[in-house]
Amino acid sequence: MTITANWSYPTAIKFGAGRIKELAEHCKAVGMKRPLLVTDRGLAPMAITQNALDILEAAGLGRAIFADVDPNPNDVNLEAGVKAFHDGGHDGVVAFGGGSGLDLGKAVAFMAGQTRPVWDFEDVGDWWTRASLPGIAPIIAVPTTAGTGSEVGRASVITDHRTHTKKVIFHPKFLPAVTICDPELTVGMPQVITAGTGMDAFAHCLEAYSSPFYHPMSQGIALEGMRLVKDYLPRAFTDGQDIEARANMMSAAAMGAVAFQKGLGAIHALSHPVGAIYNTHHGMTNAVVMPAVLRFNRPAIEEKIARAAAYLDISGGFDGFTDYVLALRTSLGVPDALSGLGVGTDQIDRMAEMAIVDPTAGGNPVALTLDAARALFIETI
């Protein structure tokens, strides 16, 4: 099945296999003459990245890349990226890759126009209004995984390298002007990345759906996003060449990111400090803690999850849904505990303190207290 579409929500999305070939024309359409492609170290030498650079170069847009990006991008990477942007005389960013490349690329484009430190734009209250609008560069986003949904998001997660704390940096201008969703770019993903990014998309949808805040539009998007993951993640994992499955997972990833403006919760609040301290894969970390958080939230979400289970054709209500999550994790090779990702017990108190002040904690349907966070870490490690 061939899936091709042009969408205008929440930004201009060019969806379909092979549409990376349109990269240069979209760069030119938003005014770029000398774009900087930002990606991570692992992707930099790969054929899909070099092909993107070929497309830009052939169109007279140069061949510039910045790839000094860690798996959990930090302020040191950001400072180096902004320097590369200014030193190269660039006028736009192609954010290319998974969550790390997309988040760092968007932040580079934004910070290129700022004189204040990045932490002044943390997603707190109306801090985003501090930004200077002139000098913010346009962004074209090109996801190469199907998980974070950062390609349709208005924020980036950046780690403070001094405190190992993940912070959400927000501004409406983080939203890319154009996003190219080409599922062919995800065909080469290893199974472990397919699993981790796919479970990240599921976590976004699940937490948005479970959030107590009122946002019926996001609620519906989250529910359908979970269905796409249920139907297509096992297929994408089993057969990485299944372009229909890859396309639907790419849709699910974007849907999760759109939906979580309704809120996230304890899955992410626990995952962020783990990733910041132990540098674990974010989606895989989400997958490990997911069942424990589901059980913790049961008093507030049992009826809601039962409705989701019915829509997803899962029998047994809340218990059936939880059993499904456990079975899905097993089928994807997700470890049963954080220790399987190299996480030890020596940082539990510190991680619990970080979790309860994480910006996602406030969206959890059951209050995430310090004692509760500690107990969840003890249970999941």
Side-chain angles (χ1 to χ4, degrees):
M1 179 180 177
T2 301
I3 304 173
T4 302
N6 292 329
W7 300 326
S8 58
Y9 176 75
T11 189
I13 298 175
K14 311 302 177 182
F15 191 100
R19 298 197 68 174
I20 187 62
K21 66 180 180 291
E22 302 172 16
L23 176 60
E25 69 180 81
H26 295 307
C27 286
K28 291 178 179 179
V30 300
M32 294 187 198
K33 295 180 180 178
R34 191 174 175 80
L36 175 66
L37 188 146
V38 177
T39 192
D40 63 69
R41 297 185 188 93
L43 269 176
M46 292 182 64
I48 56 173
T49 311
Q50 294 304 311
N51 178 58
L53 290 168
D54 290 344
I55 291 168
L56 294 174
E57 187 174 34
L61 296 176
R63 188 186 188 90
I65 183 171
F66 175 80
D68 190 13
V69 180
D70 292 319
N72 290 290
N74 57 50
D75 51 321
V76 176
N77 302 153
L78 178 57
E79 184 178 349
V82 172
K83 183 177 187 300
F85 184 92
H86 288 310
D87 289 351
H90 299 290
D91 56 7
V93 167
V94 175
F96 189 94
S100 55
L102 294 172
D103 275 12
L104 204 282
K106 294 192 311 182
V108 166
F110 173 75
M111 288 302 295
Q114 309 308 316
T115 56
R116 303 176 71 134
V118 66
W119 312 126
D120 281 4
F121 309 107
E122 191 177 352
D123 190 13
V124 177
D126 64 353
W127 285 15
W128 64 273
T129 61
R130 298 169 169 176
S132 172
L133 297 182
I136 298 176
I139 304 161
I140 303 290
V142 184
T144 63
T145 65
T148 70
S150 183
E151 66 272 12
V152 293
R154 299 173 297 164
S156 290
V157 178
I158 304 295
T159 300
D160 185 335
H161 81 283
R162 298 162 302 177
T163 63
H164 298 286
T165 303
K166 286 192 174 187
K167 296 185 177 181
V168 178
I169 311 302
F170 169 84
H171 194 278
K173 289 289 188 180
F174 272 68
L175 184 67
V178 179
T179 291
I180 299 174
C181 287
D182 184 344
E184 288 184 350
L185 302 182
T186 69
V187 164
M189 271 199 299
Q191 277 194 321
V192 65
I193 303 300
T194 298
T197 54
M199 289 303 291
D200 193 22
F202 190 79
H204 291 159
C205 292
L206 173 60
E207 290 213 287
Y209 179 78
S210 302
S211 167
F213 303 127
Y214 181 74
H215 199 322
M217 289 180 285
S218 285
Q219 192 83 346
I221 291 169
L223 191 58
E224 177 64 3
M226 283 192 281
R227 186 192 70 81
L228 290 179
V229 174
K230 177 176 179 288
D231 289 352
Y232 293 103
L233 178 55
R235 281 176 51 177
F237 180 79
T238 301
D239 177 9
Q241 303 293 318
D242 186 337
I243 199 68
E244 181 185 1
R246 291 294 195 188
N248 278 287
M249 282 306 302
M250 190 161 264
S251 290
M255 291 165 74
V258 170
F260 73 57
Q261 64 179 275
K262 180 174 178 278
L264 289 170
I267 292 174
H268 278 76
L270 298 177
S271 181
H272 283 158
V274 172
I277 293 173
Y278 291 96
N279 212 29
T280 57
H281 185 275
H282 173 66
M284 196 64 76
T285 311
N286 283 343
V288 173
V289 303
M290 188 180 293
V293 173
L294 266 172
R295 291 188 291 266
F296 173 70
N297 286 335
R298 182 170 189 159
I301 64 171
E302 184 165 4
E303 183 179 341
K304 186 180 288 187
I305 292 297
R307 291 198 301 271
Y311 180 74
L312 298 173
D313 198 25
I314 296 169
S315 60
F318 181 92
D319 289 329
F321 185 90
T322 304
D323 289 344
Y324 160 75
V325 170
L326 289 168
L328 178 63
R329 290 195 327 168
T330 299
S331 70
L332 298 174
V334 176
D336 292 333
L338 290 172
S339 57
L341 300 178
V343 178
T345 58
D346 56 319
Q347 300 283 345
I348 286 177
D349 287 342
R350 180 185 177 194
M351 291 192 298
E353 291 170 357
M354 293 166 68
I356 62 172
V357 297
D358 190 272
T360 62
N364 202 62
V366 175
L368 186 65
T369 64
L370 183 61
D371 287 344
R374 287 190 77 258
L376 282 166
F377 277 124
I378 290 170
E379 179 182 353
T380 55
I381 293 175

